[in-house]
Amino acid sequence: MNAGIIDISVTLEKGMPVWPGSIEYTRRQDRSLSNGDLCNRSQMHIDMHMGTHVDAPLHFLRDGTSVDQLDLALFCGPAYVADLTHVGAIGECELAGLGLPEGTVRVLFKTANSYRLWSKEGFDAGFVGLTGDGAEWLIKHGIRMVGNDYLSVQRYGDGPGVHHLLLGAGIGVLEGITLGHVEPGEYELVCLPLKIKDAEGAPARAVLRWPIR
């Protein structure tokens, strides 16, 4: 935490968990002050859906919007951090039991993922994610953006149905955040994905500002 800002982004680093079949994160330095060069300089090789990132509709929808065309207002504004650390999946019943404050349009799921998976070596297929009836509940209740604390909002092995529902309804999808150090409640979210032409997603830095109520 710094000056009222809570960073909920995952650090991009060698050995971090990645989706099965994805490339590993790499960064190569080709200029170094310690070697007498005029500056430090490096290049990195990443998957757009690595670490903290935003999914654009184009990720799963043939005619969907690319990340450079996203409405950034979806990812900036009041957001509710929901305590779901006790559940194994996020469905209609779990969401209905949250008692979200009236007017909530952005929800960040704080689950057990934040405490045990980012520091664990390798991908964990048992992460907590959203079910199809959970996605339908969010749509029905006017949610405009959702965030989950692992590499996908939907559970591993469920197929793309949850993404189809959310992205097809115009709901912003933020994945790969970490919330273990954040108390449940209302905050202001600021999340800005990189502006990459025609890309289906992009890495992002996401922060919360102090509870707004």
Side-chain angles (χ1 to χ4, degrees):
M1 300 181 189
N2 182 26
I5 293 176
I6 308 170
D7 194 350
I8 58 171
S9 313
V10 172
T11 301
L12 292 172
E13 58 184 337
K14 184 177 180 181
M16 65 187 303
V18 299
W19 195 260
S22 176
I23 61 170
E24 299 289 332
Y25 166 83
T26 57
R27 186 177 69 86
R28 183 179 68 84
Q29 186 163 352
D30 68 348
R31 296 285 189 277
S32 171
L33 291 171
S34 61
N35 290 337
D37 294 322
L38 294 177
C39 65
N40 290 315
R41 190 178 72 180
S42 60
Q43 298 87 41
M44 64 179 183
H45 191 201
I46 62 171
D47 186 312
M48 296 297 184
H49 307 274
M50 182 177 286
T52 304
H53 65 276
V54 165
D55 282 354
L58 185 60
H59 189 30
F60 282 98
L61 305 179
R62 187 179 299 274
D63 298 320
T65 304
S66 55
V67 74
D68 54 312
Q69 299 173 317
L70 282 177
D71 180 2
L72 295 179
L74 283 175
F75 301 93
C76 298
Y80 188 81
V81 175
D83 182 4
L84 290 161
T85 54
H86 55 291
V87 307
I90 305 169
E92 178 181 3
C93 291
E94 289 74 19
L95 292 170
L98 286 174
L100 291 176
E102 186 175 349
T104 298
V105 294
R106 300 178 188 83
V107 183
L108 305 178
F109 299 144
K110 177 181 179 178
T111 77
N113 300 337
S114 286
Y115 294 101
R116 63 183 181 86
L117 298 189
W118 288 118
S119 59
K120 181 180 178 182
E121 184 176 351
F123 175 78
D124 191 318
F127 69 87
V128 180
L130 185 66
T131 65
D133 65 357
E136 290 171 351
W137 189 95
L138 293 172
I139 295 167
K140 180 180 178 181
H141 288 81
I143 300 301
R144 303 299 301 147
M145 195 229 76
V146 62
N148 198 35
D149 54 357
Y150 202 54
L151 290 168
S152 176
V153 68
Q154 70 184 39
R155 297 182 300 177
Y156 185 74
D158 273 1
V162 165
H163 275 98
H164 285 168
L165 285 169
L166 296 177
L167 296 172
I171 294 178
V173 175
L174 169 62
E175 299 174 328
I177 54 177
T178 182
L179 295 168
H181 56 307
V182 181
E183 293 296 323
E186 294 177 89
Y187 296 83
E188 180 184 10
L189 170 70
V190 179
C191 172
L192 298 174
L194 294 181
K195 191 175 184 180
I196 304 172
K197 186 171 178 57
D198 297 335
E200 81 292 344
R205 191 72 179 258
V207 301
L208 297 175
R209 300 185 69 183
W210 290 118
I212 57 176
R213 160 181 337 180

